[in-house]
């Protein structure tokens, strides 16, 4: 068993980065995730020699990630919604150049400067590309501090397996709250140099180039096809989903991240009243577990999607259900967190005519 | 190809090894090709091909990596020095340079340029200043001279409306993070030699880990200045150099070396 600790989400994420053998972190302060940079500044270099640099902006940070990631190193950044918006151009370049890297979005309510309170309103930005052009991030949505830790390791593995940026899509509550976590043992920093890395060209190989540019449309389309084939491969191999009590359920609640925790409580309230409720929690929100919904679409009376936004994952849920069952939605916005009681009440109103 | 080529007995000049034998897209007479060539000569002479990682910008030199036989990365517009920072921080023993134009370095990338220099990143920044946006077809650059015409200043740059031409090189020389700052040009053979010497110093100083080396190359843009190469060089001497005077702006003190 690994070391047990009571840790704040952002600090656990940072600790996991050190233990995962990350080579570098480039970031810029923004609430509610500044503890990641603070924790790393305090602990990382002396423990593993990991490079920690506070950049002058999120734009600079993501481009430092591009540069350092292009050398084949394990690199990471984190930010919160407005900062992640600033990184979108860089992410598009990184995805196109196929540079592995890990980033965490500790989401706060938007739009605009919004609030420093938690949100899930960056779902579409995270899962549908976010920047310009056809590309995808692999997006992991933790629902506990334990998953914040585990997904750092998983995230780096997936990033290198597919040469693709991976995002941990979390939120201000998971970033700030404390929970017991089991930490994995220190993984040594890798000395391996990937064959594609730009580390200086020895006479024995062709030069390595990191670029997203192709002025000729024919090879650019070919590269797009290559990327799309990779995304299909990711969709085939990497879907992760948790389903609870869905077999025999009359209704299925669905939510990702923090709201899934809230829905677990709301489902208990339903069960106490004799209503058979299951839960589908997408763990990867890209690739999305459409099949989990399709599987139950003809068996349940309805799906109830709960999010801290105006209904973003809802579009994917509906694509999974494909009109075979009613899908209702309840959301809070602008940094508000729904309580289990209000989720249950909304469920009653939408599906049970107001009374269980 | 070299198998069939006759090698002259009295060969006094040849293409640098690091410069790939491909046609360049640069316009005839443009300073970019000359600067690429001397950069490659320096890499050959210092025998550092396997240690160098370069960063190309967005602008005319966006595909510089097609011409240089070294590992390179192509950065988003303006971010070359941030990309170079990322590379250098994880590969401190390697020699890293960025190669950027005036739009890239002095407009959209001003923030990254200043902060890279202010942190004293141990990289070499080569800054090509021709006072205009070449790649996009001759628009005003931050370095466009007062009253100079461009497609977006068709009546000449009115500094009251468009701001003043910016002297990035003087600006970064003020920062304690820079170690060697110089302004050179490639419009005559003598100037080419000086620029080459500066680039060589830029790489040599990088090994000392004492801060950023910043070399501006005042250059021309025959196509967008709408001149012949010869006329553009004349125009450069008469107009660019009075405002962007050549020479070292910051050099390491003697005791340091």
């Amino acid at each position: 068993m690994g070391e047990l600790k009571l840790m704040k989400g952002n600090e656990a994420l940072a600790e996991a980065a050190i233990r995962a053998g990350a080579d570098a972190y480039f970031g810029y302060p923004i609430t509610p995730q500044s503890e990641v940079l603070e924790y790393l500044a305090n602990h990382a270099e002396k423990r593993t020699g990991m490079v920690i640099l506070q950049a002058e902006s999120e734009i600079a940070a993501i481009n430092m990630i591009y540069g350092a990631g292009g050398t084949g190193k394990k690199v990471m950044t984190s930010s919160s919604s407005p900062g992640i918006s600033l990184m979108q151009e860089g992410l598009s370049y990184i995805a196109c150049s196929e540079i592995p890297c890990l980033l965490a979005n500790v989401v706060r309510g938007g739009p605009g400067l919004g609030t420093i309170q938690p949100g899930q309103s960056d779902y579409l930005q995270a899962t549908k590309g976010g920047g310009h052009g056809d590309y995808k991030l692999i997006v992991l949505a933790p629902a506990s501090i334990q998953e914040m830790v585990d997904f750092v390791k998983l995230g780096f593995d997936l990033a290198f397996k597919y040469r693709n940026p991976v995002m941990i899509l979390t939120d201000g509550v998971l970033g700030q709250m404390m929970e017991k976590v089991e930490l994995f043992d220190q993984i040594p920093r890798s000395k391996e140099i990937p064959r594609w890395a730009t580390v200086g060209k020895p006479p024995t190989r062709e030069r390595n180039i990191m670029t997203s540019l192709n002025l000729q449309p024919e090879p650019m389309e070919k590269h797009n096809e290559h990327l799309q084939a990779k995304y299909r491969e990711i969709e085939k191999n990497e879907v992760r989903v948790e389903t609870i009590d869905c077999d025999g359920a009359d209704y299925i609640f669905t939510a990702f991240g923090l709201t899934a925790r809230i829905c677990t409580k709301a489902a208990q309230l339903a069960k106490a009243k004799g209503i058979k409720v299951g839960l589908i929690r997408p763990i990867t929100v890209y690739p999305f577990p459409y099949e989990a919904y399709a599987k139950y679409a003809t068996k349940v009376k309805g799906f109830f999607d709960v999010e801290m936004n105006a209904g973003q994952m809802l579009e994917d849920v509906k694509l999974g259900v494909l009109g075979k069952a009613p899908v209702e939605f309840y959301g809070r916005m602008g940094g508000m967190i729904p309580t289990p009681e209000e989720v249950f009440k909304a469920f009653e109103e939408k599906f049970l005519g107001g009374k269980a | 190809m070299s198998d069939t080529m006759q090698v002259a007995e009295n060969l006094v000049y040849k293409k640098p090894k690091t410069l790939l034998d491909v046609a360049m897209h640069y316009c005839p007479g443009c300073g970019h090709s000359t600067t690429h060539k001397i950069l490659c000569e320096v890499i050959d002479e210092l025998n550092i091909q396997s240690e160098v990682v370069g960063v190309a910008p967005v602008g005319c030199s966006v595909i510089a990596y097609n011409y240089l036989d070294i590992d390179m990365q192509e950065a988003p517009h303006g971010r070359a020095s941030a990309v170079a920072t990322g590379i250098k921080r994880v590969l401190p023993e390697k020699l890293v340079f960025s190669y950027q134009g005036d739009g890239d370095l002095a407009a959209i990338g001003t923030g990254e340029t200043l902060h890279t220099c202010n942190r004293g990143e141990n990289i070499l920044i080569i800054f090509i200043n021709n006072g205009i946006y070449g790649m996009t077809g001759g628009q005003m650059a931050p370095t466009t001279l007062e009253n100079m015409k461009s497609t977006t200043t068709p009546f000449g740059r009115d500094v009251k409306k468009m701001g003043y031409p910016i002297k990035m090189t003087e600006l970064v020389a003020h920062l304690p993070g820079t170690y060697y700052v110089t302004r050179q040009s490639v419009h005559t053979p003598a100037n080419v030699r000086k620029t080459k010497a500066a680039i060589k110093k830029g790489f040599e100083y990088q090994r000392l880990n004492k801060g950023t080396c910043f070399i501006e190359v005042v250059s021309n843009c025959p196509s967008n200045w709408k001149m012949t190469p010869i006329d553009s060089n004349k125009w450069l001497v008469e107009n660019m150099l009075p405002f962007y005077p050549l020479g070292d702006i910051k050099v390491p003190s003697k005791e340091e070396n």
Side-chain angles (χ1 to χ4, degrees):
Chain A
M1 190 164 189
E3 187 183 351
L4 287 177
K5 263 192 162 175
L6 182 68
M7 290 190 95
K8 192 173 182 168
N10 286 332
E11 294 180 347
L13 187 87
E15 174 64 30
I18 300 171
R19 287 181 184 239
D23 293 301
Y25 172 95
F26 303 93
Y28 184 81
I30 182 171
T31 308
Q33 66 78 54
S34 298
E35 295 87 354
V36 180
L37 175 56
E38 288 170 346
Y39 188 94
L40 288 170
N42 211 351
H43 300 280
E45 193 184 353
K46 60 188 175 206
R47 275 170 51 189
T48 64
M50 181 181 172
V51 171
I52 308 298
L53 184 60
Q54 179 172 337
E56 65 270 30
S57 69
E58 288 90 349
I59 297 174
I62 196 67
N63 284 287
M64 290 170 185
I65 291 286
Y66 180 101
T71 71
K73 300 283 185 182
K74 253 184 182 177
V75 295
M76 179 181 173
T77 186
S78 63
S79 187
S80 180
S81 310
I84 295 287
S85 290
L86 283 172
M87 293 184 180
Q88 294 302 325
E89 182 204 31
L91 279 173
S92 173
Y93 279 67
I94 285 170
C96 188
S97 308
E98 302 195 85
I99 294 174
C101 67
L102 180 65
L103 58 153
N105 182 359
V106 185
V107 179
R108 53 193 256 184
L113 199 50
T115 170
I116 57 171
Q117 300 304 321
Q120 294 185 314
S121 40
D122 299 351
Y123 175 92
L124 288 172
Q125 183 196 54
T127 58
K128 307 299 174 190
H132 58 285
D134 281 316
Y135 74 91
K136 295 283 191 183
L137 311 176
I138 297 171
V139 187
L140 305 167
S144 64
I145 311 302
Q146 186 63 54
E147 284 188 336
M148 294 273 272
V149 167
D150 296 341
F151 289 178
V152 169
K153 194 165 157 219
L154 173 65
F156 275 127
D157 288 347
L158 292 173
F160 276 84
K161 182 175 175 190
Y162 294 100
R163 281 187 65 183
N164 205 70
V166 174
M167 174 182 276
I168 295 176
L169 183 69
T170 178
D171 67 71
V173 168
L174 291 169
Q176 294 295 326
M177 78 176 187
M178 294 182 86
E179 270 189 318
K180 186 176 80 172
V181 285
E182 183 186 347
L183 298 165
F184 54 85
D185 292 338
Q186 179 68 48
I187 298 166
R189 287 175 58 199
S190 173
K191 289 193 176 68
E192 238 173 85
I193 302 169
R195 59 178 169 75
W196 44 262
T198 56
V199 293
K201 177 201 173 299
T204 49
R205 68 156 163 83
E206 289 293 300
R207 67 200 198 283
N208 284 336
I209 307 293
M210 281 298 149
T211 183
S212 59
L213 175 73
N214 216 317
L215 292 169
Q216 302 302 324
E218 293 85 359
M220 194 65 216
E221 186 183 47
K222 277 259 167 302
H223 183 61
N224 266 280
E225 285 165 356
H226 160 72
L227 291 176
Q228 291 302 318
K230 179 169 84 173
Y231 302 146
R232 297 300 88 77
E233 197 60 22
I234 290 168
E235 287 161 6
K236 204 173 75 192
N237 299 336
E238 304 303 341
V239 171
R240 287 164 172 79
V241 59
E242 184 182 22
T243 54
I244 301 170
D245 296 338
C246 287
D247 292 330
D250 286 328
Y251 298 94
I252 288 179
F253 288 4
T254 187
F256 71 96
L258 180 74
T259 4
R261 300 263 301 252
I262 296 164
C263 281
T264 310
K265 285 275 178 200
Q268 285 167 10
L269 296 175
K271 280 173 196 161
K273 295 205 173 186
I275 309 161
K276 283 190 257 175
V277 168
L279 176 77
I280 297 179
R281 174 174 78 94
I283 292 170
T284 50
V285 282
Y286 179 82
F288 191 78
Y290 294 106
E291 282 174 18
Y293 297 88
K295 184 179 168 189
Y296 295 104
T298 53
K299 295 173 187 158
V300 297
K301 295 178 186 166
F303 290 85
F304 185 47
D305 176 29
V306 183
E307 303 178 53
M308 294 196 296
N309 59 42
Q312 298 196 8
M313 186 177 81
L314 182 61
E315 295 181 10
D316 283 324
V317 171
K318 285 181 174 172
L319 278 174
V321 174
L322 274 178
K324 290 173 184 153
V327 179
E328 293 286 352
F329 172 74
Y330 181 71
R332 297 295 300 266
M333 294 174 288
M336 293 300 289
I337 308 165
T339 64
E341 290 74 18
E342 85 182 73
V343 168
F344 178 64
K345 191 161 162 275
F347 165 72
E348 278 184 314
E349 279 167 11
K350 291 185 194 276
F351 282 103
L352 308 172
K355 267 265 173 289
Chain B
M1 182 190 61
S2 56
D3 297 345
T4 58
M5 203 189 279
Q6 290 276 317
V7 178
E9 282 173 24
N10 58 346
L11 186 71
V12 291
Y13 176 81
K14 60 176 180 178
K15 182 187 73 61
K17 178 168 70 79
T18 310
L19 190 66
L20 291 165
D21 201 5
V22 291
M24 285 184 174
H25 75 287
Y26 296 118
C27 304
C30 169
H32 271 304
S33 17
T34 311
T35 311
H36 280 23
K37 188 194 73 175
I38 55 178
L39 172 63
C40 289
E41 285 177 358
V42 168
I43 291 170
D44 284 3
E45 285 167 26
L46 295 175
N47 195 23
I48 53 174
Q49 184 190 26
S50 63
E51 296 172 73
V52 170
V53 183
V55 181
V58 169
C60 282
S61 47
V62 65
I63 46 175
Y65 53 79
N66 280 352
Y67 312 129
L68 314 180
D69 192 18
I70 55 172
D71 280 1
M72 283 192 81
Q73 298 196 17
E74 194 285 306
H77 196 19
R79 318 302 169 212
S81 65
V83 172
T85 295
I87 298 169
K88 184 69 182 187
R89 287 286 176 135
V90 294
L91 300 174
E93 73 287 359
K94 301 285 174 167
L95 298 168
V96 179
F97 74 91
S98 74
Y99 185 105
Q100 304 175 249
D102 39 30
D104 193 82
L105 179 142
I108 193 167
T110 316
E112 284 77 8
T113 305
L114 290 181
H115 284 281
T116 299
C117 290
N118 195 47
R119 284 191 305 266
E121 297 293 340
N122 289 302
I123 63 166
L124 166 62
I125 297 175
I126 299 173
F127 166 39
I128 309 294
N129 174 13
N130 57 12
I132 205 152
Y133 281 76
M135 181 64 114
T136 46
Q139 296 81 13
M140 181 186 72
T143 47
T144 296
L145 297 173
E146 185 171 359
N147 297 323
M148 184 175 165
K149 285 186 180 169
S150 73
T151 59
T152 50
T153 55
F155 311 108
R157 181 178 190 162
D158 177 353
V159 294
K160 295 233 162 52
K161 287 184 190 160
M162 316 283 189
Y164 296 84
I166 191 166
K167 294 184 175 180
M168 286 302 286
T169 306
E170 278 81 354
L171 212 53
V172 302
H174 282 294
L175 303 172
T178 50
Y179 185 64
Y180 170 56
V181 180
T182 188
R183 181 184 285 121
Q184 301 295 336
S185 74
V186 289
H187 70 291
T188 71
N191 289 99
V192 170
R193 280 196 293 276
K194 283 186 192 165
T195 305
K196 183 177 162 183
I199 293 173
K200 196 175 240 179
K201 277 187 207 163
F203 280 118
E204 284 167 345
Y205 288 154
Q206 194 173 144
R207 291 203 194 277
L208 306 176
N209 289 322
K210 292 209 168 164
T212 313
C213 293
F214 189 99
I215 301 171
E216 174 179 343
V217 180
V218 180
S219 191
N220 59 347
C221 184
S223 295
N224 289 301
W225 290 2
K226 304 189 194 312
M227 296 174 199
T228 64
I230 290 174
D231 285 348
S232 75
N233 279 342
K234 253 187 238 161
W235 196 89
L236 179 146
V237 172
E238 287 163 10
N239 297 278
M240 293 287 278
L241 297 188
F243 190 77
Y244 299 114
L246 302 182
D248 291 340
I249 298 172
K250 188 179 196 177
V251 289
S253 60
K254 289 229 160 54
E255 309 85 74
E256 282 185 89
N257 290 294

